[in-house]
Amino acid sequence: MAALGFVGGEGMSDLITMDDLSNDEILEILDAAERLLPVANGDVYAPLLQGKVLGNLFFENSTRTRMSFESAMKRLGGEVVNLSSVGSSVAKGETLYDTMQMVDGYSDIAVIRHPRQGAAQYSADAIEIPVLNAGDGAGNHPTQTMLDLFTIRQAHGTLEGLNVVLVGDLRYGRTTHSLSHALVRFGAKLTLVSPESLRMPTEIVGDLQSHGSDVVESENLAGAIADADVIYMTRIQKERFPDEDEYAKVAGIYKMTADDLAVAKAGMIVMHPLPRVDEIDPSVDSTQHARYFQQAFNGVPTRMALLCRSLGVEVPKEVGE
Ligand code: NCD
């Protein structure tokens, strides 16, 4: 079922991987997100999405992604219908294809998180309303990348030429797959810090290098701190390991404390998509470097801008006026 009044052709407004956005589009969305900040924090009410319904489909656990999409939609005057694998007919064996047909009828835009890589693309192909990928297995997480880029630009004033260190589970971590791809398009130098068994997949490293970027792989976090502009910590993705013993070998391998940051540049920021397990000690929270809670809040304005874009709604130059 086609959404009435929808501007933009079929497929054009999906966001499945960062390849769906040009660099200029990324920057436009970040600008729109910045204009939406007063709406995101509740100071201004701007019902740009009044009458629109978001279908939130989470087949995997989520706190931030699900809540920030819901908050973004509601603060823009829109409505949200939710589906989770618990309490829905998914538990009765309904296929993803059939479930998506329902969402197509019940909402104007869908956000989907699913444990299977490729499920977001499959869903987008199955229906006509725009689909935003909120994480597909160990694949991609482009809306997280947009809020990560927003946070980086907020701190450094630019996305160009930064020295970014990605740390942790680079094999299964979808946030780092999408973020690294976007960063090299803006000329970042990347240091990929992981244990041997959790290295970034070689095809992704090859893609990163094909953009002409300086990409270094290492197992040593301490040695990467002094030169970093951004350190992006990640959780070891326990649920993606085929075998508990393999997880046990790498669990707790990186633990950043405030003392480790003594050598960091003054403006270096520590990010994390969250949830953290033990990779960032709470002592880091009160340092000038900690940016992860701000980063999580930035999900709201960024997802507002993404919802507006996919629904063909322009964010005015002066929001709320
Ligand atoms: C991440 C995810 O789901 O990939 N979380 C998030 O969306 N903020 C990271 C993680 O679960 O470790």
Side-chain angles (χ1 to χ4, degrees):
M1 199 177 300
L4 288 174
F6 173 64
V7 187
E10 194 185 334
M12 267 177 59
S13 303
D14 297 327
L15 179 56
I16 309 300
T17 76
M18 289 307 290
D19 275 333
D20 294 327
L21 298 173
S22 68
N23 284 16
D24 282 348
E25 283 172 316
I26 291 173
L27 295 173
E28 273 167 32
I29 294 163
L30 299 185
D31 289 345
E34 214 167 289
R35 300 201 293 280
L36 287 162
L37 267 172
V39 188
N41 62 33
D43 289 342
V44 168
Y45 181 56
L48 298 173
L49 298 184
Q50 203 163 32
K52 300 287 185 193
V53 177
L54 162 67
N56 239 351
L57 292 105
F58 281 76
F59 298 92
E60 264 192 350
N61 296 334
S62 174
T63 298
R64 281 148 289 274
T65 308
R66 183 183 189 126
M67 287 184 72
S68 63
F69 262 117
E70 185 151 350
S71 175
M73 195 68 190
K74 290 185 169 169
R75 287 206 189 275
L76 289 172
E79 303 283 341
V80 182
V81 291
N82 276 290
L83 176 142
S84 69
S85 36
V86 184
S88 72
S89 286
V90 173
K92 299 182 190 169
E94 185 161 47
T95 63
L96 181 57
Y97 183 87
D98 284 3
T99 304
M100 292 313 293
Q101 302 312 310
M102 302 311 110
V103 180
D104 203 14
Y106 300 158
S107 50
D108 302 302
I109 184 165
V111 167
I112 179 167
R113 168 171 291 184
H114 199 280
R116 220 175 52 228
Q117 197 164 334
Q121 184 64 61
Y122 175 84
S123 303
D125 292 343
I127 58 175
E128 288 188 21
I129 61 169
V131 171
L132 307 182
N133 179 9
D136 62 327
N140 291 277
H141 196 348
T143 72
Q144 176 74 40
T145 292
M146 289 302 294
L147 75 90
D148 294 340
L149 296 176
F150 185 87
T151 306
I152 292 171
R153 197 175 72 155
Q154 202 173 39
H156 289 291
T158 179
L159 296 176
E160 301 286 336
L162 296 169
N163 197 345
V164 181
V165 183
L166 303 176
V167 186
D169 187 345
L170 307 184
R171 177 175 183 182
Y172 298 117
R174 56 197 176 195
T175 61
T176 63
H177 298 166
S178 292
L179 179 60
S180 59
H181 174 79
L183 284 169
V184 293
R185 287 166 44 189
F186 288 96
K189 172 178 183 238
L190 294 184
T191 305
L192 307 178
V193 177
S194 72
E196 176 67 28
S197 64
L198 296 180
R199 281 170 70 171
M200 184 78 86
T202 45
E203 63 277 12
I204 298 183
V205 176
D207 168 63
L208 300 175
Q209 285 164 337
S210 74
H211 286 84
S213 261
D214 193 352
V215 181
V216 177
E217 292 185 271
S218 160
E219 292 187 39
N220 173 13
L221 170 59
I225 294 175
D227 286 337
D229 297 308
V230 175
I231 301 182
Y232 193 95
M233 300 294 289
T234 63
R235 172 179 73 88
I236 310 290
Q237 308 276 301
K238 183 178 184 192
E239 68 277 24
R240 310 238 184 267
F241 280 68
D243 164 351
E244 281 264 340
D245 292 345
E246 287 305 307
Y247 171 71
K249 283 183 200 157
V250 285
I253 190 159
Y254 298 113
K255 287 186 178 154
M256 175 187 276
T257 67
D259 290 344
D260 298 333
L261 300 180
V263 296
K265 295 190 213 173
M268 187 278 285
I269 58 168
V270 177
M271 297 174 64
H272 193 307
L274 302 176
R276 64 175 151 180
V277 181
D278 52 9
E279 55 279 355
I280 300 180
D281 186 83
S283 63
V284 177
D285 296 1
S286 53
T287 70
Q288 69 201 44
H289 305 291
R291 209 49 65 93
Y292 25 92
F293 294 129
Q294 175 72 39
Q295 179 186 356
F297 165 75
N298 287 340
V300 180
T302 309
R303 290 181 167 125
M304 282 178 167
L306 289 168
L307 288 166
C308 287
R309 172 183 182 270
S310 284
L311 286 165
V313 171
E314 203 175 319
V315 178
K317 289 287 166 231
E318 301 287 337
V319 177
E321 301 207 347

